[in-house]
Amino acid sequence: MYEIGLKNDFKKYYFIGGPSPQPLNKFIETAKNVVSPDSQLGLGLRNEDGIVYKKEWFTMDETIKHLGFKHEYSFEEGIKLTAEWIKSTGI
């Protein structure tokens, strides 16, 4: 997102994610397991939205091409580092 802010020639949208698209619930479960493994999630309580999502919609190819940016950390590593930073700052 920092790299996007540096650009003056914004695209309409950017996909921000990793090299392996996953359903949102997988990212939420990963974050929960890193930060608070004993917490309960309310996943599945809301009805499906009816939209059929296609994996090719979630590629980072254009984002990498346009920004020249590739991630350095896995999602789980980023969550761990963020959680450690939050704990160290007392937020």
Side-chain angles (χ1 to χ4, degrees):
M1 292 177 63
Y2 174 78
E3 295 289 333
I4 293 169
L6 295 177
K7 292 285 184 184
N8 291 323
D9 56 341
F10 295 108
K11 289 178 51 168
K12 188 172 183 178
Y13 65 89
Y14 291 94
F15 174 71
I16 301 171
S20 303
Q22 299 288 324
L24 179 59
N25 68 318
K26 298 296 181 192
F27 289 103
I28 293 170
E29 288 170 357
T30 298
K32 177 200 72 100
N33 291 337
V34 168
V35 177
S36 183
D38 295 330
S39 295
Q40 297 296 314
L41 296 175
L43 297 175
L45 297 178
R46 183 176 161 195
N47 293 332
E48 292 286 330
D49 59 17
I51 299 172
V52 178
Y53 297 91
K54 297 179 182 179
K55 192 172 183 175
E56 59 268 15
W57 293 352
F58 302 100
T59 177
M60 290 221 21
D61 295 345
E62 285 296 314
T63 303
I64 292 168
K65 179 181 170 185
H66 191 250
L67 299 176
F69 176 80
K70 291 185 182 181
H71 69 282
E72 296 178 28
Y73 303 97
S74 70
F75 179 76
E76 187 172 358
E77 291 169 322
I79 292 295
K80 285 179 184 176
L81 290 170
T82 301
E84 289 170 6
W85 175 81
I86 289 170
K87 288 177 186 176
S88 73
T89 61
I91 294 177

